């Protein structure tokens, strides 16, 4: 794990599993056999080295007679299994009254379907393990709760045309991804725009942009690069990002034009 907060949660959960197992008079192999997991995984969970799946905690709770005490830890474990930078970003997105993002290289994370996200992580180099990919995809999908929370946030996206045509995961995944964009665009609090490749004036040439206007009135930016991901809290820098994003939206196709554009790209894929 990459941060102390997550490590502390997993160590605490592991200690509880061990305490309940020993109180029940079971060895690690016996508990593993009772709940359908190997001894190595039970040992790793108890040492705080592996993130237990919800089924692990539910089955252990039942096998050890913990009366819901182990199952209750699923909420904390679910948060801990996500990378810290994702948890921090998701927290900010949850506090945002307004969220805007320009995506230049791929479909923005909040708009991705699981298959697209999985394919995107799979082509990363150095390569992730399957467990790491599953963890990152789950974290990305969890962030999509921003669309459902109340009060509704005002959300806007500008997608570079190339991101609608690049077949991440193959043509079938791309078609489903485009269909998802059309579904999301039906939400009254969400607007999706397209920046055409042939647009001569383009204020987003410095790269992707994400803005978060929090309910307390503060504006933050977020940017990612090859080796970093950081929140921009300096008001002057956030103001520059806000200006650039406003220009990008003005230069892009309108939401109505963008909807027709995405439909056309989808038609080209079928």
């Amino acid at each position: 794990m990459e941060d102390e907060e997550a490590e502390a949660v997993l160590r605490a959960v592991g200690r509880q599993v061990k305490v309940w197992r020993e109180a029940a008079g079971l060895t690690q192999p016996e508990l593993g056999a009772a709940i359908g997991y190997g001894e190595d995984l039970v040992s790793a969970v108890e040492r705080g080295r592996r993130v237990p799946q919800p089924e692990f905690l539910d089955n252990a709770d039942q096998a050890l007679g913990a009366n819901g005490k182990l199952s209750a830890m699923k909420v904390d474990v679910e948060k801990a299994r996500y990378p810290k930078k994702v948890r921090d970003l998701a927290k900010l997105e949850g506090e945002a009254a307004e969220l805007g993002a320009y995506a230049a290289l791929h479909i923005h994370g909040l708009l991705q379907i699981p298959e697209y996200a999985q394919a995107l992580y799979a082509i990363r180099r150095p390569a992730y393990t399957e467990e790491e990919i599953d963890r990152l995809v789950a974290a990305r999908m969890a962030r999509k709760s921003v669309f459902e929370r109340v009060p509704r946030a005002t959300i806007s996206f500008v997608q570079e045309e190339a991101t609608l045509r690049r077949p991440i995961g193959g043509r079938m995944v791309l078609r489903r991804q485009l269909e998802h964009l059309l579904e999301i665009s039906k939400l009254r609090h969400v607007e999706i725009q397209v920046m055409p490749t042939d647009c001569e004036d383009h204020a987003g040439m410095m790269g992707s942009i994400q803005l978060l206007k929090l309910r307390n009135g503060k504006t933050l930016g977020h940017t990612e690069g090859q080796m970093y991901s950081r929140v921009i809290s300096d008001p002057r820098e956030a103001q520059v990002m806000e200006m650039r994003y406003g220009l990008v939206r003005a230069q892009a196709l309108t939401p109505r034009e963008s909807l027709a554009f995405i439909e056309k790209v989808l038609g080209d894929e079928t």
Side-chain angles (χ1 to χ4, degrees), residues 77-250:
V77 170
E78 186 68 11
K79 294 178 181 178
R81 71 189 296 255
Y82 302 150
K84 184 177 188 301
K85 66 180 183 179
V86 177
R87 296 200 311 270
D88 292 344
L89 183 57
K91 180 179 179 180
L92 290 175
E93 288 169 345
E95 297 173 358
E98 185 176 341
L99 189 154
Y102 161 63
L105 299 177
H106 50 71
I107 301 299
H108 190 274
L110 289 173
L111 295 173
Q112 292 174 13
I113 60 174
E115 300 92 331
Y116 185 98
Q118 185 172 27
L120 197 60
Y121 284 124
I123 61 179
R124 185 257 200 189
R125 294 295 181 273
Y128 286 122
T129 66
E130 291 301 317
E131 183 180 351
E132 287 173 325
I133 291 175
D134 290 344
R135 179 173 173 240
L136 290 164
V137 171
R140 180 156 290 182
M141 294 305 106
R143 286 173 53 204
K144 293 167 75 70
S145 62
V146 71
F147 292 111
E148 303 167 358
R149 67 170 175 81
V150 178
R152 298 287 192 225
T154 299
I155 306 174
S156 65
F157 299 93
V158 180
Q159 287 289 153
E160 194 68 37
E161 177 185 343
T163 67
L164 307 177
R165 300 187 182 276
R166 185 169 294 117
I168 302 295
R171 296 291 174 185
M172 184 64 70
V173 171
L174 178 60
R175 286 197 290 271
R176 289 200 292 268
Q177 179 62 71
L178 294 173
E179 290 169 350
H180 182 66
L181 294 183
L182 295 176
E183 285 298 313
I184 291 291
S185 67
K186 295 177 182 178
L187 299 175
R188 290 195 299 272
H189 61 296
V190 178
E191 289 187 335
I192 299 177
Q193 295 176 252
V194 175
M195 173 63 78
T197 302
D198 62 5
C199 182
E200 183 176 353
D201 294 323
H202 194 335
M205 295 305 291
M206 295 298 291
S208 299
I209 300 170
Q210 180 157 332
L211 285 171
L212 303 105
K213 295 188 176 182
L214 307 185
R215 289 191 291 270
N216 63 10
K218 188 172 184 177
T219 297
L220 302 175
H222 177 258
T223 183
E224 290 185 321
Q226 286 283 333
M227 305 295 292
Y228 68 88
S229 171
R230 74 182 184 98
V231 172
I232 296 172
S233 57
D234 185 290
R236 293 166 297 184
E237 294 183 10
Q239 187 177 47
V240 170
M241 293 188 70
E242 186 173 10
M243 176 270 292
R244 289 176 179 168
Y245 183 64
L247 287 173
V248 168
R249 292 200 68 188

Side-chain angles (χ1 to χ4, degrees), residues 39-80:
E39 175 187 356
D40 289 345
L41 180 61
V42 174
S43 174
V45 168
E46 290 189 357
R47 289 181 290 121
R49 302 300 298 272
R50 287 288 297 273
V51 181
Q53 295 294 325
E55 295 80 10
F56 180 101
L57 293 175
D58 284 338
N59 293 344
D61 188 280
Q62 184 174 2
L64 300 175
N67 298 317
K69 294 181 177 65
L70 294 178
S71 291
M73 295 181 173
K74 289 187 293 185
V75 175
D76 295 323
V77 170
E78 186 68 11
K79 294 178 181 178

